[in-house]
Amino acid sequence: MKTWGTKRWRLAAITVIAGSVLLSSAACGGDDKKSSSWQGGAEPGSSAGAPAGGSEASQQPLPSTVAVTSPAADAKNVVAISPIKYTTEDAEGTTVKVTDAAGKEVEGTLDKDAKTFTPAKALAYGTKYTVTVTGPEAEGKTNTTTSTFTTMAKPSKVVRVTSFLGDGQVVGVGMPLIMKFGRSIPESYRDDVERRMVVTATPAQEGTWHWTSPTEVHYRPKVYWKPNTKVFYKVSLAGVPLGDGYYGRSDLTVDLKIGRSLIMTVSNKTKQMTVKENGKVIKTLPVSLGKPSTPSSSGTMVVIEKKKHTIFDTTDELGPEEGYRTPIDFAQRITWSGQYIHAAPWSEGKQGKVNVSHGCVNVSEAMGAWLFNKTLMGDVITVSGTEEKLKNGNGWTDWNMSWEEYKKGSYL
């Protein structure tokens, strides 16, 4: 188990159980040893049979039905996203209130089963907070306890967290959600990061996060997004420990929409592309793929970016003799290595018959314009039957893996 003050933190409820055992032992008075975790009750070693109204008995505080176990009373330098943990004799009948120095109440979630209050966002740095726990009334016991703690100073080492997608975007059914970090996240902290990145899809769909590198994590559903799904994700990493003394810089939310379903399927055997919209074939068109020396990749990709007019320049990569610099219309990138769907009027006589491209999916000028006007970033294209298999990571290859394989990239 990792502690708050050293390597990392966890919201696990098991620490509450441990605290509860200590408190119940002290409160019952069955152990003659003094316990620093005991609050509000008589000294465990005191005589249970002391006469009522005696001077010793009158000085003993009443035992309590509730106690705060974490953060410790008067604790300093508390991590700003620390949960509040407590014990109680009646979970359902207990309330928790957290206030700042000005008396303003902190918003959060109360998990009565785990006996944990979790702030909705990171608490203010360098601020004193008061926890008030109120439990059921019980004869001979108090039912309210208070405890204070002070949060850590604002950290100087922070990690910026950014989303590739933004509010209001409409994307294809294959679009992964992409989060990037300004610094590598150590493996031992990635499960904590995933827990604080919550995706809500309407309608609901099963999905998971998958780390593509130490600085980037993607999310995809088990199968393609359902058309017209509303997607909202909240990333709550402000104040979260991210290793080596670094903390998350801020929180963010993104609210976007999945568009209609558009799937492009390309067969090297037939040299044809089939386009389906919402499950129905709307177009079949001839293509020319990569020639044997520069084959197209077989696998499932998505549209990464679109450029109506651009220039392909390979002279730096291949040299002035083998390289080329060619104006291109209706270019849609599908791999980082430079494979695109694009208009290629010079190969129209070859399309549907023979492969002549440098790895791209060549279509006619007219079909290039038609496709360009139909597609969204995140639309799916699957190519099959070529000499080379798509390498994972060469583009957004989230769908080039089985669901079982994809899940292995999560740290939960």
Side-chain angles (χ1 to χ4, degrees):
M1 181 172 70
K2 301 174 179 87
T3 61
W4 289 92
T6 57
K7 186 172 180 184
R8 59 186 295 197
W9 56 273
R10 286 187 180 275
L11 303 184
I14 56 174
T15 55
V16 178
I17 297 171
S20 177
V21 172
L22 273 174
L23 284 158
S24 62
S25 172
C28 289
D31 187 349
D32 288 340
K33 295 180 181 179
K34 295 181 181 180
S35 171
S36 61
S37 64
W38 177 85
Q39 296 185 25
E43 182 87 355
S46 63
S47 172
S55 60
E56 181 179 349
S58 65
Q59 295 175 3
Q60 300 300 316
L62 291 174
S64 175
T65 64
V66 293
V68 177
T69 60
S70 181
D74 301 317
K76 310 293 184 184
N77 200 36
V78 174
V79 175
I81 45 75
S82 297
I84 311 301
K85 301 175 184 179
Y86 60 96
T87 60
T88 177
E89 294 179 1
D90 180 356
E92 280 302 315
T94 299
T95 61
V96 178
K97 184 178 180 180
V98 182
T99 55
D100 62 16
K104 184 178 179 181
E105 190 169 349
V106 173
E107 294 183 4
T109 302
L110 181 62
D111 185 336
K112 293 188 176 183
D113 291 331
K115 300 181 183 64
T116 301
F117 175 89
T118 303
K121 60 181 181 180
L123 301 175
Y125 292 116
T127 300
K128 186 175 182 179
Y129 287 88
T130 299
V131 182
T132 302
V133 181
T134 303
E137 293 186 0
E139 186 176 353
K141 296 182 180 181
T142 62
N143 68 338
T144 299
T145 189
T146 61
S147 182
T148 63
F149 66 90
T150 303
T151 54
M152 62 184 286
K154 185 176 181 179
S156 59
K157 296 161 62 174
V158 293
V159 179
R160 187 181 182 192
V161 185
T162 57
S163 168
F164 179 80
L165 298 171
D167 286 338
Q169 282 190 261
V170 180
V171 294
V173 296
M175 185 69 208
L177 310 181
I178 302 172
M179 297 301 305
K180 295 185 177 182
F181 303 90
R183 179 182 182 276
S184 294
I185 305 301
E187 288 193 40
S188 58
Y189 287 81
R190 294 179 193 174
D191 58 340
D192 295 328
V193 170
E194 288 185 48
R195 287 189 183 93
R196 301 186 69 84
M197 300 191 301
V198 179
V199 178
T200 304
T202 308
Q205 292 150 71
E206 182 182 0
T208 188
W209 292 99
H210 175 99
W211 291 79
T212 62
S213 78
T215 60
E216 187 169 321
V217 61
H218 292 197
Y219 181 99
R220 57 157 268 203
K222 184 175 182 179
V223 295
Y224 297 141
W225 295 105
K226 294 178 181 179
N228 304 312
T229 294
K230 293 181 180 179
V231 178
F232 174 81
Y233 52 106
K234 183 176 182 180
V235 178
S236 303
L237 291 176
V240 174
L242 297 178
D244 303 324
Y246 282 84
Y247 294 81
R249 178 181 176 183
S250 59
D251 297 339
L252 62 86
T253 62
V254 177
D255 201 342
L256 54 84
K257 184 180 178 181
I258 306 300
R260 77 291 168 271
S261 171
L262 191 135
I263 309 291
M264 295 167 280
T265 305
V266 178
S267 168
N268 184 38
K269 182 177 180 180
T270 63
K271 308 291 189 292
Q272 299 288 316
M273 174 191 286
T274 301
V275 183
K276 287 185 178 182
E277 185 172 348
N278 294 327
K280 296 182 179 180
V281 176
I282 59 171
K283 186 79 71 176
T284 299
L285 55 141
V287 301
S288 180
L289 300 175
K291 55 191 175 183
S293 60
T294 55
S296 300
S297 295
S298 284
T300 300
M301 299 153 274
V302 300
V303 175
I304 296 172
E305 64 176 345
K306 299 173 64 174
K307 293 183 179 180
K308 192 171 184 178
H309 306 291
T310 189
I311 294 176
F312 287 179
D313 189 344
T314 64
T315 54
D316 287 343
E317 179 185 354
L318 302 177
E321 293 184 2
E322 295 185 18
Y324 56 89
R325 193 172 188 275
T326 306
I328 298 293
D329 292 335
F330 310 117
Q332 303 187 59
R333 180 188 284 270
I334 55 177
T335 72
W336 299 128
S337 62
Q339 296 179 35
Y340 289 75
I341 308 165
H342 68 83
W346 56 86
S347 71
E348 288 185 11
K350 305 291 187 181
Q351 292 167 17
K353 301 174 183 176
V354 65
N355 293 333
V356 296
S357 85
H358 291 84
C360 293
V361 180
N362 284 182
V363 298
S364 69
E365 189 76 13
M367 287 298 95
W370 180 83
L371 274 173
F372 193 89
N373 291 328
K374 291 289 292 184
T375 58
L376 297 169
M377 181 173 64
D379 279 341
V380 179
I381 175 170
T382 297
V383 178
S384 65
T386 66
E387 299 89 342
E388 185 171 280
K389 290 186 178 181
L390 176 68
K391 294 179 176 62
N392 288 333
N394 186 14
W396 295 335
T397 54
D398 302 74
W399 299 101
N400 201 49
M401 289 176 263
S402 69
W403 176 241
E404 293 304 316
E405 184 181 1
Y406 195 79
K407 287 194 298 182
K408 293 177 182 178
S410 169
Y411 281 78
L412 291 178

